Amino acid sequence: MCSNYRRAKSYAQMRDEFSHIRLPVRFPDGTAAPNLAPQDEIRPTDQAVVFRVLDNGVELVRMRWGLVPFFHKKPLREWKAATFNAKAETVKTLASFREPFRRRRCLIAADGWVEWKGEGKPKPKFYIAPRGGEPICFAGLWCRTRSDADGEVESFTMVTQPPGALSDVHDRAPVVLAMADWAHWLDVDADVDDLLGAEPVDRFEVRPFTPLASEDADL
């Protein structure tokens, strides 16, 4: 599973990335572009940045990480299932994910993710990101529900798959989408099976985790 990831890039950087593939970032009427602070370690239940389809472009929204399906109408605190990850192998069939996969795919803004491996307490912590810093998003699904206790809640999950070349780090990895694949993932009429599969051996760099504040201090 992936339970910790990083999004350091700014709104301006993300807007420029989407402009390269002719998907403008749009906002509903009366909504201004946000000032987004970097998120060093995003964890389940945190609010995080995702992109979904809107009017011939994409809409930037912040949602709760940990999908709460549309059929859950009780208070949010009563949803106990660990739905922050959705396995690619079962995402088309499980009740919580089936409809979001068919109708509500999204892109999770990210730079890389965190895993723990090795001995010791705490275990050594590692950061995994594309070599050369290529723009990526994680494959995601989103959903909306409403309850008397919490009102409207929008939430998302991260699609994961077997780790391929990263098997020595963990037994799962996010589905990492290159910029050229973003529009394909968002197209709910498209077959996206070709986006799921083992990663090339040399695509990612694994290095000891360093907080953003420490990295900035070293520059």
Side-chain angles (χ1 to χ4, degrees):
M1 71 178 62
C2 180
S3 60
N4 192 319
Y5 72 96
R6 173 182 289 176
R7 193 275 307 159
K9 54 191 170 184
S10 67
Y11 163 70
Q13 288 174 291
M14 292 185 284
R15 179 199 59 205
D16 291 345
E17 290 171 1
F18 278 97
S19 72
H20 285 301
I21 56 172
R22 299 183 180 180
L23 278 179
V25 179
R26 305 186 185 280
F27 297 93
D29 291 344
T31 304
N35 181 17
L36 298 174
Q39 291 178 278
D40 197 7
E41 294 186 74
I42 302 168
R43 300 176 176 87
T45 74
D46 285 351
Q47 294 285 313
V49 174
V50 305
F51 293 90
R52 62 188 176 191
V53 173
L54 176 71
D55 299 336
N56 298 315
V58 293
E59 177 186 20
L60 183 157
V61 290
R62 281 176 276 202
M63 296 183 184
R64 176 189 187 270
W65 185 17
L67 189 143
V68 182
F70 66 91
F71 53 78
H72 180 78
K73 303 300 183 184
K74 297 179 180 179
L76 189 60
R77 67 177 181 274
E78 294 186 25
W79 179 253
K80 303 298 185 182
T83 48
F84 54 93
N85 287 170
K87 288 186 175 182
E89 300 92 321
T90 55
V91 73
K92 297 179 184 178
T93 57
L94 289 182
S96 293
F97 305 131
R98 185 171 57 234
E99 282 303 303
F101 180 80
R102 289 177 52 203
R103 301 173 54 196
R104 298 188 183 91
R105 295 182 202 144
C106 64
L107 298 168
I108 303 169
D111 298 286
W113 72 102
V114 178
E115 294 290 2
W116 290 258
K117 71 168 187 173
E119 303 297 329
K121 292 186 178 182
K123 282 187 176 182
K125 194 172 182 179
F126 292 86
Y127 180 65
I128 305 146
R131 294 183 188 277
E134 69 166 289
I136 61 166
C137 285
F138 296 147
L141 314 172
W142 72 276
C143 201
R144 179 188 296 122
T145 191
R146 177 180 290 277
S147 70
D148 291 340
D150 301 291
E152 184 175 273
V153 176
E154 292 188 330
S155 56
F156 71 95
T157 187
M158 179 187 298
V159 182
T160 68
Q161 62 185 359
L166 296 170
S167 60
D168 63 331
V169 179
H170 202 270
D171 60 359
R172 304 293 297 179
V175 173
V176 181
L177 301 175
M179 192 189 303
D181 297 322
W182 293 355
H184 187 180
W185 178 257
L186 291 174
D187 182 356
V188 295
D189 294 322
D191 182 346
V192 294
D193 286 350
D194 60 324
L195 300 181
L196 310 174
E199 299 286 2
V201 171
D202 61 350
R203 185 179 183 189
F204 297 106
E205 177 185 22
V206 180
R207 63 177 187 266
F209 176 84
T210 305
L212 284 172
S214 298
E215 291 183 0
D216 292 342
D218 291 338
L219 296 178

